[in-house]
Amino acid sequence: MSTYIIADLHLSEDEPAITAGFIHFIQQQAIHAERLYILGDFFNYWIGDDDDNPLHLQVAQALKQLTERGIPCYFIHGNRDFLIGQRYAKQCGMTILPQETLLELYGKRILILHGDTLCIDDAAYQNYRKKVHTPWIQKLFLTLPLFIRRRIAQKMRSDSQHASSMKSESIMDVNPQAVITEMQKYHADWMIHGHTHRPAIHEIAINDKPHYRGVLGAWHQEGSAFVINEQGIELIFFPF
């Protein structure tokens, strides 16, 4: 039995191929897993659990079928879907985890997180993140009519794309010292995250001992996942 970890699917009604790829992944691969973790940016945007988008129901039904078979599913918020709440989580049968969660699997200590909190060199983004995670701002946003929330979300996505196009690749990547600090905080052997869309496994020397940072890819042309079992940790890719 293996544990699967995925992130950055950016599901939306505009990309039906990715949704189909996810459903196929659930039915053909995750169905054989011991557990599944989703590390944020599952959806391209989220304006509230009361949004009755048919895509949300389709995805919830797929995850519910998985969890009803005794395969637990866990979720960590990303920067696109940080408003997913307990109502939708219950609909999916999944459990929402803290932003940073330490797993102890197969003799390894693995820190999982979305990854945006590691990009501390991007001061503008971190300021934005601090604002949108303010509880009263979130509460106010969720009281607005759905059509207004949708317009705000579309505007924010457009502004984000423009801002990203003006930034260097290095600024939008993780800060190496931030990675080490977090791994030392949790005494982790591994860190696995998404967000940067740069799939790879990096070896890091901490106190002269090898540690590892695994990065998941975005589901654009293909899917990616970390598969963890007694044999080790592997980054895999698969077509939709």
Side-chain angles (χ1 to χ4, degrees):
M1 297 294 286
S2 300
T3 292
Y4 281 75
I5 301 180
I6 60 175
D8 298 299
L9 282 73
H10 295 272
L11 296 174
S12 77
E13 56 271 27
D14 300 326
E15 296 282 356
I18 299 177
T19 302
F22 170 69
I23 300 298
H24 185 266
F25 165 77
I26 291 294
Q27 295 174 344
Q28 301 299 319
Q29 292 176 268
I31 200 72
H32 304 295
E34 189 170 354
R35 59 184 70 85
L36 172 66
Y37 292 89
I38 304 170
L39 305 188
D41 285 6
F42 189 27
F43 290 92
N44 204 30
Y45 68 96
W46 193 266
I47 59 174
D49 288 5
D50 57 336
D51 183 2
D52 58 356
N53 188 322
L55 171 65
H56 301 168
L57 177 59
Q58 180 185 9
V59 171
Q61 288 173 338
L63 287 176
K64 191 70 171 179
Q65 290 175 1
L66 193 68
T67 58
E68 286 180 343
R69 292 177 67 99
I71 302 169
C73 177
Y74 303 93
F75 175 77
I76 289 179
H77 291 112
N79 56 290
R80 300 292 191 97
D81 50 18
F82 56 87
L83 288 176
I84 287 180
Q86 292 299 334
R87 172 177 164 182
Y88 188 68
K90 183 177 180 180
Q91 193 175 356
C92 297
M94 67 183 182
T95 300
I96 298 178
L97 297 176
Q99 183 65 47
E100 298 174 349
T101 297
L102 181 69
L103 308 179
E104 297 197 38
L105 298 172
Y106 319 106
K108 300 179 179 64
R109 293 174 62 86
I110 306 167
L111 176 62
I112 58 172
L113 65 166
H114 177 59
D116 59 332
T117 54
L118 301 169
C119 302
I120 60 175
D121 296 326
D122 189 347
Y125 170 74
Q126 294 301 330
N127 287 334
Y128 156 80
R129 187 182 189 282
K130 183 177 180 180
K131 290 177 182 177
V132 298
H133 280 79
T134 303
W136 72 264
I137 291 179
Q138 292 185 0
K139 186 175 181 179
L140 176 61
F141 177 80
L142 292 172
T143 64
L144 298 172
L146 275 170
F147 78 95
I148 294 179
R149 280 183 262 163
R150 191 168 288 110
R151 288 179 184 176
I152 292 173
Q154 290 169 348
K155 178 66 164 57
M156 291 175 69
R157 286 167 59 198
S158 176
D159 290 347
S160 175
Q161 290 171 351
H162 175 72
S164 295
S165 69
M166 305 296 288
K167 296 175 183 177
S168 69
E169 291 292 323
S170 60
I171 285 179
M172 292 188 291
D173 203 355
V174 301
N175 177 281
Q177 186 56 51
V179 170
I180 293 173
T181 298
E182 290 304 305
M183 294 188 74
Q184 289 179 317
K185 176 181 175 182
Y186 290 93
H187 304 287
D189 308 308
W190 272 78
M191 170 187 284
I192 294 178
H193 68 82
H195 183 66
T196 63
H197 303 178
R198 301 176 185 184
I201 296 177
H202 305 274
E203 182 172 333
I204 306 165
I206 302 177
N207 298 327
D208 297 322
K209 294 182 179 180
H211 294 68
Y212 300 91
R213 177 172 68 93
V215 188
L216 288 154
W219 287 39
H220 293 318
Q221 282 76 41
E222 61 182 0
S224 73
F226 274 98
V227 183
I228 309 172
N229 51 41
E230 294 286 357
Q231 285 68 51
I233 299 179
E234 181 183 8
L235 175 60
I236 65 169
F237 301 90
F238 42 87
F240 293 147

